[in-house]
Amino acid sequence: MADKKIRALTSLGTATAREDLVHVVDDPSGTPINKKVTVGEMANALNAPVSLADSDVTLTEATHAGRLLIGNDLTADRTLTLPTPIAGMEFRIVGPNIASSAEDGHDLLISCGTGNSIYFQGQVSFLDIDGDANSVVGSDGNSNEVFQINVPGHYDITLVGVSSTVWRISGIVSSDTAPTFAD
């Protein structure tokens, strides 16, 4: 077979299978080397869950985007700081990872960390553990840069970059105290 440029090859499109091979240049900014990976291996590696530390964490596209992020039982209030959004970048955060059915004793804050130039749009369903105050909690859509989950029993939050200034938020929070949005 004659040498062809990659862009001249025929696309598999929707016929792509997990066992198909992909050419990869490993460590392109260091010592580049040609390697192969199956589509399945690549998908598994890129989708592996990440257990978040019991500390403040700055999320990054390289380490956290597109993966299930598992929040731990917290020993103090903690903040997850988001990167500048890129349209289509996604984070899904679930937790807390605790053995009992009790609520975590501390709050989890998700922050754009920008002084209101990057903010949340969207709503989150609040399920009151006592069952007497279920509601929907929404951002103001133009300046709320902090989402606070107060002493969570459970949360499942999805954040999707809509533009370079907007994170779309949705999901569910179970607690005795409703989550809040703030500037």
Side-chain angles (χ1 to χ4, degrees):
M1 175 172 125
D3 288 340
K4 285 188 178 182
K5 292 185 178 189
I6 290 177
R7 65 178 171 258
L9 298 174
T10 303
S11 173
L12 278 174
T14 59
T16 302
R18 289 185 65 85
E19 67 272 5
D20 291 338
L21 295 175
V22 177
H23 174 248
V24 176
V25 179
D26 187 23
D27 196 16
S29 57
T31 306
I33 185 167
N34 291 311
K35 292 188 178 178
K36 67 178 180 180
V37 65
T38 68
V39 170
E41 290 168 336
M42 186 166 62
N44 292 344
L46 294 175
N47 292 318
V50 175
S51 183
L52 297 172
D54 178 16
S55 62
D56 293 340
V57 177
T58 298
L59 301 180
T60 66
E61 180 183 16
T63 302
H64 304 99
R67 298 178 178 204
L68 179 64
L69 306 178
I70 301 169
N72 283 306
D73 185 12
L74 303 176
T75 58
D77 292 353
R78 302 296 187 197
T79 300
L80 301 179
T81 302
L82 298 167
T84 299
I86 298 169
M89 184 177 1
E90 182 176 333
F91 297 99
R92 181 172 174 218
I93 308 162
V94 300
N97 185 20
I98 54 179
S100 72
S101 61
E103 297 171 80
D104 194 324
H106 303 283
D107 300 345
L108 177 66
L109 290 82
I110 303 172
S111 173
C112 298
T114 62
N116 301 333
S117 61
I118 298 175
Y119 51 88
F120 295 110
Q121 289 183 341
Q123 300 174 331
V124 174
S125 296
F126 169 60
L127 304 175
D128 187 327
I129 290 175
D130 297 333
D132 58 359
N134 297 333
S135 64
V136 174
V137 178
S139 71
D140 67 4
N142 64 18
S143 66
N144 290 156
E145 70 166 347
V146 177
F147 177 65
Q148 182 166 341
I149 302 172
N150 299 296
V151 292
H154 172 74
Y155 51 86
D156 189 337
I157 302 297
T158 300
L159 302 149
V160 178
V162 174
S163 69
S164 62
T165 59
V166 176
W167 281 107
R168 178 73 180 169
I169 187 169
S170 64
I172 298 170
V173 172
S174 298
S175 177
D176 276 330
T177 307
T180 59
F181 287 92
D183 292 350

